[in-house]
Amino acid sequence: MTPATSSSDAFVFFGATGDLAYKKIFPALQALLRNGELDMPIIGIARSGWTLEQFRARARDSLEHAGPVDEEACARLCRQLHYISGDYADDTTYARLRSVLRDARRPLHYLAIPPSLFPTVVQGLAASGCARDARVVVEKPFGRDLASARALNRVLHGAFDESAIFRIDHYLGKEAVQNLLYFRFANTFLEPVWNRDYVQSVQITMAEDFGVQGRGGFYEEAGAIRDVVQNHLLQVTALLAMDAPVGHDAASLQAEKLRLFRGMRPLRAQDVVRGQFEGYRDEHGVADDSNVETFAALRLHIDTWRWAGVPFYIRTGKCLPVTATEILVDLKVPPLAIFDTIEPPQSNTFRFRLSPEVVISASARVKRPGTAMLGQSVELVARRESADQQSPYERLLGDAMRGDATLFTSDASVEAAWAVVDPVLDLPEPVASYRRGSWGPEGAAALVSDGEGWHDPAPGPEDAGAAPPPSAH
Ligand code: NDP
């Protein structure tokens, strides 16, 4: 259980035959191999009694599905693959892993498995000696409430040092999310206005124009607050609102994020509007009387010196008009309306569009040509690009192998984030129904009491006639 600093020398993934492995992990491994970052045995473990050849075929199929195959990297991937077929509850599975690991001194175990199996696998790794000096990457969801997250942390700490635990939130691996942090702290002009004196409110919308895509059974156990608010959206809020870290290391960043999470006031029922799209209950695996929310809008308060009194409005939902994630920071209007006295005063905003394209921009007022002192809003665009160069999984798995925890979530932060949403999980009040293709139930509008109400992100260029992107929450 010593904190590890050197790079991992074996990559083990549990859940090797699963959906996540197919959609994300094999393509990330191919990219890491292409960059020369994965010169080590790659060991997949699952229950299906596949041969190594079948497993290799699955890897190739996954790469073809993801895009053009890099033949050289694919061949190397296939050469480095091992497959262990065994049940996670069976000790002999770990004994076989131990023998395949042979001389590996710092293996990385990636748990891409149903969360109910996390304790079984962690205990199996510990009892077999496979956890010694190893690292572990844990997929979401990390618990389903505060109590279960604490219990999972205890299980993990029984086998791994905190410095060897990497709780993955693939959102943090997105270039656009990292740019939030960079843009904030690499520019001096932002800091003087980034506080309650100048910011009126902050809005974060993560909208999807598709439904549960056949994963109704999974979604019934989650709902929007568990699926994306507790993790992705609170993480984004933390990066947007935290103070500057005092050092360059992961611990300094984690410390500031934790301080911010601890400043978030636990949500109350009146801060939340929950909705469910019409037809959700007809989905396969969904209960006829399901009260699970497919939409959530909430008003969050952050009780810190910087943010006291500034509402953070967070909204997410399925079957909304567009697929886009966007942050709008709305500044206060000037103290006196000297110009533009006919129209209501307009504020300046900062806009961070995280997907489908990446945009960082600010809106400013300029005078319209002509004799009247009337203005118009213009957008000053600092960055506009189509998508991530590197997939979040490639970035995060590479970081975990090097032992860099900067883009992962600590035990204390994950618990602090659960503490914020815990009071509004499984509320007994019935969810409000909303039309597919609308911006959610009517009650959501009333939550935003200031400014012009919700800012609805525009559709991205990819939206026009494109198939829905695969859901990877
Ligand atoms: P799947 O159900 O598709 O895959 C589960 C995997 O676990 C399979 O490889 C299965 O093996 C294996 N498995 C299950 N039970 C056992 C057992 N008792 N012994 C041995 N192997 C077992 O899950 P996903 O890939 O969809 O999800 C995995 C994790 O990733 C979950 O925590 C999920 O929340 C998370 N996640 C998934 C995303 C996605 O898009 N799929 C997105 C973000 C996170 P076999 O098939 O051989 O039985």
Side-chain angles (χ1 to χ4, degrees), residues 357-380:
E357 337 83 283
V358 180
V359 179
I360 300 177
S361 68
S363 77
R365 300 285 294 168
V366 294
K367 183 185 166 300
R368 266 187 242 160
T371 48
M373 288 297 265
L374 292 175
Q376 65 187 110
S377 286
V378 292
E379 192 169 33
L380 313 172

Side-chain angles (χ1 to χ4, degrees), residues 273-357:
V273 174
R274 297 185 319 128
Q276 190 183 79
F277 66 79
E278 285 171 7
Y280 172 69
R281 292 177 188 177
D282 301 330
E283 295 277 345
H284 180 68
V286 172
D288 293 343
D289 59 351
S290 170
N291 198 31
V292 168
E293 79 282 352
T294 61
F295 172 97
L298 41 108
R299 182 177 43 219
L300 177 73
H301 292 282
I302 304 178
D303 293 329
T304 60
W305 202 256
R306 189 191 282 266
W307 294 116
V310 178
F312 282 68
Y313 300 109
I314 297 177
R315 176 175 62 157
T316 184
K318 294 197 171 285
C319 293
L320 299 187
V322 301
T323 296
T325 302
E326 201 161 295
I327 300 165
L328 196 81
V329 178
D330 196 11
L331 299 191
K332 292 181 175 173
V333 293
L336 288 174
I338 296 176
F339 311 116
D340 296 327
T341 46
I342 309 159
E343 296 166 8
Q346 301 243 340
S347 60
N348 303 122
T349 57
F350 285 97
R351 188 165 71 95
F352 300 89
R353 185 166 166 99
L354 307 183
S355 69
E357 337 83 283

Side-chain angles (χ1 to χ4, degrees), residues 200-217:
Q200 179 70 32
S201 68
V202 177
Q203 292 192 17
I204 305 174
T205 294
M206 177 181 177
E208 292 174 330
D209 67 2
F210 49 92
V212 292
Q213 300 181 310
R215 296 177 77 211

